[in-house]
Amino acid sequence: MRVLVTRARADAEETARLLSDRGVETELEPLLTINWLSPEPPVPEAPIAYAVTSRNGAEALGRRMQGHAIHCPVFAVGDRTAEILRAQDIPDVRSAEGDVNDLAAMICADMAGQAQNMDGPVVHIGGEETAGDLTGTLERMGLSACRVVAYRVETPKTLSSETVAAIRTGRIDGVIHFSPRSAETFVRLAAKAALGAALAGLDAFCMSEAVRKKAESGGWRQCFVATRPTLEAMIDLVVSGGREQA
């Protein structure tokens, strides 16, 4: 099997390595480019916790706090994001091992017993567009929360000629979609390249139902959804050829 990976380059390279270890060949077509904002927006003082929902959010926190100790918990949406935070020598990193809703529930559960320290907000560091509404969910749960936008994500105007040729000649068996933005972008650019007929012979592997909804208009052979919104579940889904679908 050979699949197309559409994540931002650093994430795509990691995904490709993991798939290669499981016997799946890959080609990369990064559809998301991360551009850090400059000047960097300010971060509220004395937060009770930080929250990050992606690799890029973890890297943004590291960039902002470089040379400064973090004395509060840092909550990560999943284990991969947590690993990036721990590699930055952040002492208290906690992984929700799930999605944004799991993350919000974990933050509320862990912070509930620390009422004496609840004066500051939970600071969510991320991009201009996010999956879900973490800060809104936390506020509805009774916590003070705010979002700091540290980067923007840009998408290309066309698919690369190499990817177009690979799809047209049948060298690609499926396309992996990790986010609604990348799925929507791929479907739009595939239509622009007149690849509709070719997509009918490919499978789409989607991280969540929200991603599937953006991808399904591509006219795929089949759309599969991971059992959990994690990298590990996506790898299992692709390796199984969709048999791990929820």
Side-chain angles (χ1 to χ4, degrees), residues 197-221:
L199 294 191
L202 277 62
D203 294 326
F205 299 97
C206 305
M207 177 169 260
S208 67
E209 280 295 329
V211 176
R212 183 192 63 77
K213 288 178 181 178
K214 293 295 185 181
E216 62 184 356
S217 62
W220 309 89
R221 178 170 55 198

Side-chain angles (χ1 to χ4, degrees), residues 87-164:
Q88 299 169 0
D89 296 324
I90 297 173
D92 187 358
V93 176
R94 310 178 192 183
S95 172
E97 301 180 17
D99 59 15
V100 172
N101 292 328
D102 297 318
L103 180 61
M106 182 182 189
I107 293 171
C108 286
D110 286 11
M111 294 291 100
Q114 303 181 29
Q116 70 275 16
N117 298 321
M118 300 293 270
D119 291 338
V122 175
V123 177
H124 175 206
I125 295 185
E128 287 182 330
E129 296 184 17
T130 60
D133 180 15
L134 178 61
T135 56
T137 301
L138 291 174
E139 289 175 342
R140 288 190 292 273
M141 291 179 170
L143 290 178
S144 173
C146 67
R147 187 162 76 92
V148 173
V149 177
Y151 60 90
R152 64 171 53 93
V153 177
E154 297 183 357
T155 59
K157 296 186 187 321
T158 61
L159 295 174
S160 68
S161 58
E162 293 82 3
T163 289
V164 172

